Amino acid sequence: MVDEESVPDPYKDVQPHWYFCCRADDSTSWLPFSREDSDKLENTYTTGNQDEEVVIAVDGERYDVHVKERKRYAVYWEQAPTEVRRCTWFYKGDKDTRFMPYPEDFSKMLEEAFKEAVTSDQWKKKIDFPTGETVIIHNPKLIMQYQPIGLQDDWISSPSEQTRPRTVKRGVDSIPIDIPDGEPDKVDHLVFMVHGIGPACDLRFRSIIQCVNDFRSASLSLLASHYKRAQQDGLVGRVEFLPVNWHSALHGDATGVDEDIQRITLPSISRLRHFTNDTLLDLFFYNSPTYCQTIVDTVASEINRLYALFKQRHPDFNRAVSLVGHSLGSLILFDLLTNQKTESKVPSGDPSSLSSNTLEQILTKLDLKQYLDILKSENLDLESLSLCKDSDLKDLGIPLGPRKKILNYIKRRWLPEECKAAATLQMQDPQIPGHDADELAGLSSEQSRFYRAQAVTSAVDYEYFDVGIGQVSIDYPQLAFQPQAFFAFGSPIGMFLTVRGLKRIDPNYTFPTCKSFYNIYHPYDPVAYRIEPMIVSEVDLEPMLIPHHKGRKRMHLELKDSLTRMSMDLKNNVLGSLRTAWQSFARIPVAALPSVEEGETSADANPQEAQASAADSNADANKGDRNADIWSKILEWPGAIHTHYLKGVCVEAESSMNAEQTENSEIKMGMLNGGRRIDYVLQEKPIESFNEYLFAIQSHLCYW
């Protein structure tokens, strides 16, 4: 019989897998494509014409691979092209953490030598490469690579110390690596993410693109763990996250702001000043009308560009779109959404040629149609109404609220741009002492420029504020879609609204095109502020705690809640025991004394009856009455304590808990989030609870 072990294994072609190069800082690594993308690239490579360039969309169609060129290009953002390889052979040194692929020509030479060794059953084959490397195929499972030997020192004793060989593996199946299966083709939700100040987003100084990539990976892993069955059945797709970068446009060559700032920057502490110019100055740029217009235009145009490009690559997409903003990015999105216009709010026609019929439509829209006859009786149309002051409308008998609505609407929406400045001055009361409106109107342009109205800082009356909460000097662009939800991470929106003069948000206020708003923050974030107290100021509500993705609170939070419940239960039990003891003591029978339950006390007795009884009794009886009076007072103390203290405390504790639960369930947060809660707080880590100040900066960057 022929020994089966002596028969060599037949040669089988190696199964290639496609990799792409990833460069971060000074390091270079190679990462595998998903199995789905690798199969698409391999089918294109083997079946297509290799002389023609073929473009394959990979990574959820966020990248395009030029197969012939072996390059991968980003679709939605600017990024240098990266190299792509068709990999079959891999190596790993002693200091390497993972197997790295060989170049394709190198792998081709190794594959030919391995095929020859298998077919001829001759092992320990040595392959020398022009670069000086040497690969020895000892057997199918033991293949080593030796680096070229250069000039060695005299103290090196053995060849084993001269070079450390690399381990060589054939095929991706022989190396330990986690290759993803691929992303679902169906996109259920599209999310645009806007960064805050500076080019970096976290403590590792990663860009918005890298942070969003990790955000996307976390979303895919949560979908796979929480909705695995739904994904297998095709009921759930994926969430696509796209970064919106506005920092590069602001600090680019188009604005020239970096060069201007650099000329006036002091040379001392250069690194700190460079950090300040690159990050913190973005806050001042947004408060500047010139650069604020650049920022909002860049954000809106970039979102619209990404949305159009996404629709082009996903023509069947008709699902929801949401917006996410971090830090200053959330304020930018808030101002954009506040100043969006629906189709019903966009005026049609030329405002300068408005008739009384248009005035009727405006009053109907403002729910002020009852004042149409008053305005018509004075022959007022929109053009003449725009020249009226608050006192003029007051003389017509129109109340304060309707006057504010009419004047603000005319000023903000229908007044031509060239008349806004003049009408604004006419609608304000003159603040120059000793001069009225008629006197100021008679001044020449040369004389009037020396007179200035006194600046008065006052809170904006947002009850009749109908244009939005953004900066009034900015022309806000419009988005090409209506977002479903807006998520603010570590947002200073509440602080900016307060310093702009807004003390309260109308509960009926809502974004014109977005119906959901969530303010999410870390409890130690020094930049984050709440929104709910500006809507419901009379109720002190704690923010909603975001549960962990595993369905429970962190350990230290659960321990804190357990101790709180235990202390409350202990307090209630102790008070209940004291109450029972006092009641038992109060029910002790005493001869010749009135029962405590009757409610009679010595203080309640009639003084005249007490004097009569004292006159008719002897000295012993008087002594007994005095003792009885003392005992009655003593026995009344438990009842008084129970009535006025113990029972009140227990009832107060129970009622406070019930009231808090009822309050949280019945309180309405206005229409900014459709009546739902707005403020949501993350759970801090146990180590963060030891020192809030130590993790303050990290807390502001933890959302990525």
Side-chain angles (χ1 to χ4, degrees):
M1 296 180 64
V2 181
D3 189 2
E4 295 182 357
E5 295 182 357
S6 63
V7 178
D9 294 334
Y11 171 78
K12 297 180 180 179
D13 293 333
V14 63
Q15 181 64 35
H17 195 91
W18 290 74
Y19 276 65
F20 64 92
C21 182
C22 181
R23 291 183 174 86
D25 297 333
D26 296 334
S27 61
T28 301
S29 61
W30 288 85
L31 301 177
F33 284 102
S34 65
R35 297 188 183 276
E36 180 182 356
D37 292 339
S38 181
D39 293 342
K40 290 193 301 183
L41 293 172
E42 183 64 21
N43 293 334
T44 303
Y45 176 79
T46 55
T47 60
N49 187 0
Q50 298 183 6
D51 295 334
E52 297 180 358
E53 186 62 84
V54 181
V55 180
I56 302 298
V58 296
D59 291 339
E61 299 192 8
R62 294 182 298 274
Y63 292 90
D64 286 338
V65 173
H66 295 221
V67 179
K68 180 182 177 181
E69 189 184 2
R70 295 292 198 274
K71 295 291 185 179
R72 186 185 70 140
Y73 294 88
V75 175
Y76 295 103
W77 52 83
E78 294 183 1
Q79 182 179 340
T82 57
E83 185 181 354
V84 174
R85 285 183 185 176
R86 181 176 180 264
C87 305
T88 54
W89 286 79
F90 305 86
Y91 68 91
K92 180 179 180 295
D94 292 340
K95 297 182 179 180
D96 296 333
T97 57
R98 63 179 66 184
F99 280 88
M100 303 290 289
Y102 280 112
E104 293 189 31
D105 55 349
F106 203 103
S107 299
K108 185 177 181 181
M109 297 176 64
L110 288 176
E111 184 64 24
E112 292 175 354
F114 181 82
K115 181 179 180 180
E116 182 180 354
V118 171
T119 54
S120 62
D121 196 20
Q122 295 181 0
W123 300 102
K124 295 185 179 180
K125 187 175 182 60
K126 182 178 179 181
I127 306 104
D128 295 326
F129 292 91
T131 55
E133 289 90 349
T134 301
V135 176
I136 299 178
I137 306 177
H138 297 279
N139 56 57
K141 296 184 178 180
L142 181 59
I143 306 173
M144 306 299 293
Q145 175 192 350
Y146 298 90
Q147 298 295 326
I149 302 176
L151 298 176
Q152 303 294 338
D153 296 332
D154 297 336
W155 55 269
I156 296 179
S157 59
S158 62
S160 61
E161 296 181 1
Q162 296 178 2
T163 58
R164 292 184 178 273
R166 293 176 174 177
T167 303
V168 181
K169 295 293 183 179
R170 178 178 179 265
V172 72
D173 296 334
S174 61
I175 62 176
I177 188 172
D178 185 15
I179 301 178
D181 295 330
E183 301 179 8
D185 295 332
K186 185 177 69 173
V187 178
D188 294 335
H189 207 110
L190 175 62
V191 181
F192 296 105
M193 308 193 74
V194 182
H195 64 86
I197 60 174
C201 294
D202 60 357
L203 289 178
R204 290 185 287 175
F205 296 98
R206 296 185 302 167
S207 65
I208 178 67
I209 299 174
Q210 295 172 313
C211 292
V212 172
N213 288 341
D214 286 354
F215 212 97
R216 189 185 304 109
S217 300
S219 173
L220 291 174
S221 62
L222 289 177
L223 287 174
S225 60
H226 290 69
Y227 302 95
K228 185 176 182 180
R229 180 62 61 86
Q231 275 194 337
Q232 293 176 352
D233 297 341
L235 301 178
V236 175
R238 63 183 174 91
V239 181
E240 181 61 271
F241 297 88
L242 296 180
V244 179
N245 186 5
W246 56 268
H247 183 269
S248 59
L250 177 65
H251 294 265
D253 296 334
T255 59
V257 63
D258 286 347
E259 297 181 1
D260 298 337
I261 294 295
Q262 188 62 34
R263 285 197 297 267
I264 60 177
T265 301
L266 299 180
S268 59
I269 53 174
S270 57
R271 292 188 178 182
L272 180 58
R273 295 187 190 277
H274 175 73
F275 174 79
T276 303
N277 295 342
D278 211 23
T279 56
L280 298 181
L281 281 183
D282 289 343
L283 291 172
F284 300 99
F285 289 151
Y286 190 70
N287 289 327
S288 169
T290 302
Y291 295 108
C292 179
Q293 188 67 58
T294 302
I295 293 175
V296 296
D297 289 343
T298 302
V299 171
S301 61
E302 183 68 8
I303 291 177
N304 291 335
R305 184 188 70 85
L306 294 175
Y307 180 74
L309 191 57
F310 181 84
K311 289 285 291 182
Q312 180 182 355
R313 301 178 74 89
H314 299 81
D316 298 332
F317 177 79
N318 57 356
R319 310 301 289 270
V321 183
S322 294
L323 301 174
V324 173
H326 173 239
S327 187
L328 181 61
S330 63
L331 179 64
I332 298 172
L333 291 178
F334 187 89
D335 290 341
L336 275 174
L337 293 178
T338 304
N339 291 273
Q340 294 298 296
K341 299 178 181 178
T342 59
E343 295 181 358
S344 59
K345 290 186 178 182
V346 177
S348 59
D350 186 9
S352 61
S353 60
L354 296 175
S355 62
S356 60
N357 188 25
T358 307
L359 176 61
E360 181 178 357
Q361 295 176 357
I362 298 303
L363 294 178
T364 303
K365 180 180 179 181
L366 297 176
D367 197 16
L368 301 174
K369 193 175 180 180
Q370 63 271 25
Y371 302 105
L372 178 62
D373 296 336
I374 299 177
L375 298 179
K376 282 186 175 181
S377 63
E378 300 292 335
N379 294 327
L380 288 175
D381 56 6
L382 284 178
E383 185 177 358
S384 57
L385 188 61
S386 63
L387 302 176
C388 292
K389 297 184 296 184
D390 182 78
S391 58
D392 297 331
L393 297 181
K394 184 178 180 181
D395 294 339
L396 296 178
I398 301 178
L400 175 62
R403 294 201 308 268
K404 293 293 185 181
K405 276 190 175 183
I406 294 173
L407 293 177
N408 273 301
Y409 193 90
I410 296 299
K411 173 185 174 183
R412 301 289 184 180
R413 294 190 178 275
W414 294 91
L415 192 62
E417 293 293 336
E418 61 270 15
C419 299
K420 277 188 177 181
T424 303
L425 291 177
Q426 292 182 10
M427 283 187 288
Q428 295 176 351
D429 292 332
Q431 300 294 332
I432 304 175
H435 300 276
D436 55 9
D438 296 334
E439 183 179 354
L440 290 177
L443 294 175
S444 62
S445 58
E446 183 68 21
Q447 295 172 336
S448 61
R449 67 186 183 93
F450 294 103
Y451 293 92
R452 286 180 175 268
Q454 182 181 356
V456 178
T457 301
S458 60
V460 181
D461 186 5
Y462 278 91
E463 184 177 0
Y464 306 106
F465 196 64
D466 193 34
V467 68
I469 312 178
Q471 302 185 42
V472 295
S473 60
I474 302 301
D475 182 15
Y476 286 91
Q478 303 298 304
L479 299 178
F481 58 90
Q482 295 188 1
Q484 182 189 62
F486 167 41
F487 300 89
F489 294 163
S491 173
I493 293 176
M495 183 267 291
F496 271 84
L497 295 183
T498 303
V499 300
R500 288 176 183 175
L502 177 62
K503 295 185 178 297
R504 179 176 177 269
I505 298 178
D506 190 350
N508 295 323
Y509 177 78
T510 181
F511 293 131
T513 59
C514 183
K515 303 305 178 185
S516 299
F517 173 42
Y518 300 92
N519 183 35
I520 302 172
Y521 60 91
H522 191 279
Y524 304 150
D525 189 347
V527 182
Y529 290 83
R530 294 193 61 181
I531 299 295
E532 291 177 350
M534 300 186 68
I535 302 175
V536 184
S537 58
E538 63 275 6
V539 180
D540 187 12
L541 287 178
E542 293 293 330
M544 296 291 292
L545 185 67
I546 298 179
H548 197 269
H549 67 90
K550 293 183 179 180
R552 60 183 302 171
K553 294 182 180 180
R554 294 185 184 270
M555 178 184 64
H556 68 291
L557 294 178
E558 288 189 348
L559 180 61
K560 180 180 179 181
D561 293 344
S562 300
L563 292 176
T564 302
R565 288 194 299 267
M566 185 176 64
S567 62
M568 182 61 69
D569 295 340
L570 181 62
K571 179 180 179 181
N572 293 336
N573 291 335
V574 170
L575 294 178
S577 300
L578 289 175
R579 180 180 58 185
T580 304
W582 283 118
Q583 289 177 346
S584 301
F585 183 73
R587 287 194 295 268
I588 296 177
V590 179
L593 290 179
S595 177
V596 177
E597 286 80 359
E598 295 177 1
E600 291 184 1
T601 64
S602 60
D604 296 334
N606 193 343
Q608 297 180 356
E609 295 179 358
Q611 293 177 0
S613 61
D616 296 339
S617 62
N618 54 19
D620 295 336
N622 292 335
K623 183 177 180 180
D625 290 338
R626 287 195 299 269
N627 293 334
D629 185 48
I630 294 174
W631 276 105
S632 64
K633 291 182 179 180
I634 293 175
L635 293 178
E636 289 168 7
W637 293 347
I641 294 176
H642 166 66
T643 303
H644 299 289
Y645 179 71
L646 296 181
K647 185 177 179 180
V649 170
C650 297
V651 172
E652 182 180 357
E654 296 176 358
S655 62
S656 62
M657 296 177 62
N658 296 332
E660 183 177 358
Q661 296 175 355
T662 305
E663 216 171 22
N664 291 337
S665 60
E666 295 181 356
I667 192 67
K668 298 299 182 182
M669 281 299 161
M671 299 307 298
L672 193 57
N673 193 26
R676 301 180 296 270
R677 296 294 300 273
I678 298 176
D679 292 337
Y680 291 83
V681 61
L682 297 172
Q683 301 182 31
E684 71 275 10
K685 297 179 182 179
I687 191 175
E688 294 176 345
S689 61
F690 289 103
N691 193 322
E692 301 177 1
Y693 296 94
L694 185 62
F695 297 93
I697 302 300
Q698 179 179 343
S699 300
H700 183 60
L701 304 175
C702 71
Y703 307 98
W704 303 104

